[in-house]
Amino acid sequence: MDFTEAKKLDEADILAKFKSYFHNNENEIYLDGNSLGKPPKKSLELLKEIAENQWAEKLIEGWNEHWLNIPKRIKSKLGILLNADPSEIHVGDSTSVNLYKLAYAFIQTGKYKSINSDSLNFPSDLYILDQIGSSLLGKKLHVLKYATELNAEIELLKSAINKNPGIWCLSLVSYKSACLYDLQDLNRHAEDNNSLIIWDLSHATGVIDIDFKKSKTRAAVGCTYKFLNGGPGSPAFLYVDKSILPELKNPIAGWFGHANPFRFSDQYEAATDAGKFASGTPSILSMAGIEPAIDIIIEAGIKNIRNKSKRQIAFLIELTEKYLGPLGVKVEIPDKEENRGSHVSISHPEAYRICLAMKQADADKVKVIPDFRPPHYIRLGVSPLYTTFTELHWAILRISDIIQNQAYLRFENTYQNVP
């Protein structure tokens, strides 16, 4: 096995040191950071400190001494990462709840008469948008269909925005094929056609260079537990450009969205910044791990992360075509580098069982953690802060070994309730 090229690329990697910032399991190659990122060591230390000292010893005093400022600090650091004012960001709730709040608030303004998406968007987004369309507009969600699950047909999308002006919700990076949209171009097109795009950044933030101001992004939501490495179920974020914040109302008027929540007024007075979209009490234990993770990304530099991601994706595609193409595996990702996010989807009729074999390796085999998406996709996530070129090479050789030796036949061919 010749790992010469992979080792040379690792030796030249300016981000190599950051792998040591994360907890890494021995004899395991983790390629599922696009679903759940690895824990930073500092996050694990901080969570232990909060649970054992701040909560256990300080109890209620922990709020004033430590916890109330955590969301504020995370907003500020997300602002640095995304080029936004902290006043335009809310951190809390799930991506789904934040999308519901934003879409509902925009429809409530009366400016938008339709709600739309496309067939590459995440299913949960479609469920939420369809319910809002039915309840507020009396019409179902309009979903633009593309010929395949691989690429967004941009000219078709632009034409659909022309014909159906209103609210559009799109995933900046599609969850199946990692198709990356042109944020600035589509924002401009939407604005020129009396429309507004709510972007779902869940598969993009932390690995794609996003500039809200340069791209003229008006609204966005995103999770923090994928490439942001915030931890399982860590709270999501919401962004609204400050020029349109005053006209929006949070449909869930909870006490933390109040201008002065600790006054305990009987009358609701919404905060004037994006904090108006807060509802209940911040989830401190699930939120705290986000901050050290964002600190690492800021230190590494998002442009450096994006550049390494591009190189690793190209390297992974090259290896796949060389070793797996002859075995019936297809690369299911856009052809152009500028249209790719940071995971590679490959397809094979036995994709599900191949994934099981990769995860449950014998003692003499390397264990590789990918993920599976129906009906026949294996997603290989590239997290530049801790994924090495050598690991990518090993992973492809592991898949080749499984297919050639039919090791997947040991597993049942079913994929119900796959996370």
Side-chain angles (χ1 to χ4, degrees), residues 202-216:
S202 294
H203 286 84
T205 317
V207 77
I208 302 296
D209 186 6
I210 298 170
D211 187 322
F212 282 154
K213 298 310 174 187
K214 181 179 178 181
S215 63
K216 295 187 177 181

Side-chain angles (χ1 to χ4, degrees), residues 331-392:
V331 175
E332 305 279 6
I333 190 168
D335 293 331
K336 295 181 179 179
E337 182 180 76
E338 64 267 25
N339 297 135
R340 300 171 185 160
S342 202
H343 66 269
V344 172
S345 288
I346 60 178
S347 65
H348 186 278
E350 290 289 354
Y352 176 65
R353 293 201 285 182
I354 291 170
C355 276
L356 294 180
M358 293 167 70
K359 295 177 181 180
Q360 301 181 33
D362 296 331
D364 62 334
K365 304 290 185 183
V366 63
K367 181 180 181 181
V368 182
I369 310 296
D371 74 356
F372 169 78
R373 288 294 178 266
H376 49 237
Y377 297 104
I378 299 171
R379 298 195 312 174
L380 305 173
V382 170
S383 300
L385 289 171
Y386 53 76
T387 303
T388 69
F389 288 90
T390 303
E391 287 176 330
L392 296 178

Side-chain angles (χ1 to χ4, degrees), residues 213 287 402:
K213 298 310 174 187
M287 183 181 291
I402 290 169

Side-chain angles (χ1 to χ4, degrees), residues 53-69:
N53 295 322
Q54 297 177 15
W55 180 18
E57 299 298 328
K58 297 291 185 178
L59 294 172
I60 193 67
E61 295 301 321
W63 280 108
N64 289 324
E65 292 187 22
H66 301 285
W67 305 332
L68 283 175
N69 286 326

Side-chain angles (χ1 to χ4, degrees), residues 251-282:
I252 307 173
W255 76 306
F256 260 78
H258 196 284
N260 192 335
F262 296 103
R263 185 179 294 161
F264 300 102
S265 170
D266 291 338
Q267 301 299 316
Y268 184 74
E269 178 187 348
T272 56
D273 62 5
K276 70 169 67 178
F277 283 99
S279 294
T281 307

